[in-house]
Structure formats: C-alpha cells, structure tokens
Amino acid sequence: MAFEINDYVKWVGTIDWELKTFHGEEYSTNRGTSYNSYLIEDEKTALIDTVWAPFSKDFVKNLKKEIDLQKIDYIIINHGEIDHSGGLMELMNEIPDTPIYCTGNGVKSLKGQYHQDWNFVQVKTGDTLNLGKHTLTFVEARMLHWPDSMMIYMDLDNILFSNDAFGQHYASSEMYNDSVDQSELFQEAIKYYANILTPFSSLVEKKINELLSLNLPVDMICPSHGVIWKERPLQIVEQYMEWAKDYQEDQVTVLYETMWENTKKIAEAIGEGIMKNHPSLRVKLINVATADKNDVITEVFKSKAIFMGSSTINNGILSHTAGLMEMIKGLKFKNKIGAAFGSYGWSGESVKLIENGLIDAGFRVQKNGIKVLWTPNDEDLYRSSDFGSRIISDMIE
Ligand code: FEO
C-alpha cells in the first residue's frame, strides 16, 4: 500500500497492526506501530528509510508497484536501527549499486549489521542533495536517539523527515495527526518520549533550538513511526521542548510490589496521606508487577515525586521492582523526589536497596523510608500516611 502525501512525496512504509513489543520485550506497543518509508519523485528519485526486516519482501514488492526500482537514484537511511534499515538487504539485491546516504555513524551501524560493502555516501549537517526542483538538507541528530540519527529538510514543500524524533508507536489507517483520536496520539507520543528520549533531553532541546534558529518554514513533519504531523506540525516540537525541560505534572506516583498485600497496605496508606493533605496533587498507585512497565515509566516521567515499595525477598527486592529500577536508572530522570517503603518478615533490606537505587538514578531521596515488620498495624499505617504527606510538604509544596 502507498499513500500520496503530495505531488512529489509518497508514503511507502508498512503498518504493523500486530506488534505488541518492540526492542525485544523492552517497549510495549499496545497500539502496534508503523515503519514509515518515503519515496520522493522529482527529476531524481530518493527513498528515505525502509522497514523492519520481517516486512522487507512485501516492502520491496509494494515499492515495485510504485516505481521501477532501477529509477531510484538515492537511498537515504536516517538511522541504522533495524526497524528502518531492515529492508535494505532485500532492496540492495535488486539495486546493488545505488548510493546509500547516511551519517558516518550510520555507515558504521549498517556495516556492522549487514556486513555489506554497499556504496555509502557519508553526509553531515548542512550537506545537500538536489533532486531537481527540491533540495534535501541533511541535519545530523546525534543521540536522538542513536549516534547515527539524522533528519532531512525538504525545501519548497517544507517537510522535515525527522526519523524517530516526533514519532509514536501507533498503527493507524489515518496518516495525519488531525484525523486520529487525540488522546491516543498524545498518549503514544509522551510514552515514546518518556521511554526512549528522556536521557537525551538536553540534546533534544539543543537540536530543536538549532532547527528553530534556521527559521525554516515547516508545513509537515514526517517521522519514521506513527502519524504525520500536518495540522499545526510545530505543536509536537513545542511539546518536545516542554518534555525536554525536566517535565513534571502535579502528580505523585506510588509504585509498589507486594508478596502478601502488606507492602500494598503501606502503599495505600501513603497514597491516602497525600490525597488527604495535598488535594492539589494527582496521586496514582500502581502495582508494578501487573502494570505495563512502559506505562509505569510514563507515569514516573509525569511525576514530581515517586514512592517505591517492595517486600524483601532473599535479602533483596522483588524482580519487577528491580527491573523497573534498572529502567529508571538508565533514563536519567532529573529534578524528581524519591522515597522507599516495604514490609518484611526477617531481614528487611528492601527499603535501603530502593533508596540507594533511587539515589544512583539521580533522585533526591528522603531517607529513612517506611519499614514494617510483618503486617502493618494501625500505628504503622498512620506512620505511612504521615510519611507520604510530610515528604510532599517538605520537598514539594
Ligand atoms: Fe525506530 Fe531507533 O528506531
């Protein structure tokens, strides 16, 4: 299937309705995704990105319906990750000498993955490629989100091909942002930012400022996943600027994992204490053992403070909490407050371990979290409720 974006540009990608996880099991794609590839037919023809490898045969078959492959003058790979470069092997079998434009790091990643001596043309920020009427300008976008990432600006039609930036894992029959359910779209966009781009927020801000300083008109932003930003395209750029600045909402999230409901009882008491004494804040309680971990990360992203609790097991913490802590550390959240809690029956290390984990992750941690031996009694629950409320009073309000 192809979709005509304008007289020169066609979407020739793949919609992956079935995909439920991405990056192995690291990212849940509950609404599927798309791998957006774009064909520009001017006096010269350029293909921007391909699709994930399992779809490569269909991709090439469909592409042949749109164009004689021999007429493709240039292939541009904005980012070598396999969800965008995965169609190359199939394509290059047909047109092996076609030049592949990418960054220097793009060459490294493509050579490393495919071990082919293709005709690479290395480009850097400011380099251009004239297609006839239109000129493409390359803009390196290191660490948004890989060292090889790049964007392309197409003049006259004023299109930014942004690759992963501004994308969403969101399968849709509609191509444009104004045609889809807005709450779904923004939920997928913020989840994408929170889970993938958070560690690179300072670079996001810098790159966007660099792009804005060029004063180029932008009529459309075509990312490599999800829908195209056509209606007020800069709204997602403005949104990214907000997200990049240590984003927070008036939210506190209480995360817990529990063996026999005791740690859950502490979580509920902490939550109640905050709800009762800080009604201006939204409070969410999440059992991390049953929740979608990427949704949990999105809630952490939105929070001013998190409380994290686990029962103690084998002198450690429960496994979902441990996995989540690893994700939180990697995402390098800034300007957030953390506190720990947990019940135990014998040794009781969980609170200390969580506090240390949150400190390593860059949280401002209120130490001496709530430890409860066995089942919390009324006094323990009062202490928990007071702890939640007090931390918020001292550290936020
Ligand atoms: Fe969509 Fe970084 O690949």
Side-chain angles (χ1 to χ4, degrees), residues 255-258 263 288 307-311 321 339-342 350 354:
L255 306 169
Y256 65 92
E257 191 170 4
T258 191
T263 298
V288 302
F307 292 75
M308 202 166 181
S310 167
S311 324
T321 304
F341 61 95
S350 69
I354 292 171

Side-chain angles (χ1 to χ4, degrees), residues 22-23 79 81 83-84 145-146 163-164 169 192 224-225:
F22 190 82
H23 284 163
H79 167 40
E81 197 163 7
D83 50 325
H84 308 298
H145 68 120
W146 267 19
N163 197 257
D164 281 331
H169 285 304
Y192 195 91
S224 56
H225 298 289

Side-chain angles (χ1 to χ4, degrees), residues 279-295:
S280 63
L281 293 173
R282 180 196 310 137
V283 180
K284 290 193 181 176
L285 271 74
I286 303 175
N287 182 338
V288 302
T290 52
D292 177 312
K293 64 184 180 222
N294 303 105
D295 288 342

Side-chain angles (χ1 to χ4, degrees), residues 239-289:
Q239 192 65 79
Y240 263 47
M241 282 302 260
E242 242 184 87
W243 290 339
K245 289 177 180 153
D246 303 343
Y247 183 72
Q248 298 184 343
E249 297 179 12
D250 287 330
Q251 178 172 326
V252 175
T253 305
V254 183
L255 306 169
Y256 65 92
E257 191 170 4
T258 191
M259 288 173 71
W260 295 110
E261 308 272 294
N262 294 327
T263 298
K264 178 181 174 180
K265 289 186 176 101
I266 306 170
E268 287 171 344
I270 290 173
E272 277 170 24
I274 304 168
M275 285 181 232
K276 196 168 140 198
N277 295 304
H278 304 278
S280 63
L281 293 173
R282 180 196 310 137
V283 180
K284 290 193 181 176
L285 271 74
I286 303 175
N287 182 338
V288 302

Side-chain angles (χ1 to χ4, degrees), residues 261-273 340-344 368-390:
E261 308 272 294
N262 294 327
T263 298
K264 178 181 174 180
K265 289 186 176 101
I266 306 170
E268 287 171 344
I270 290 173
E272 277 170 24
F341 61 95
S343 81
Y344 66 105
N368 303 314
I370 298 289
K371 275 177 80 172
V372 174
L373 180 62
W374 301 111
T375 302
N377 59 22
D378 287 348
E379 195 272 329
D380 293 322
L381 293 176
Y382 175 79
R383 194 161 53 94
S384 302
S385 168
D386 181 60
F387 177 71
S389 176
R390 195 161 32 81

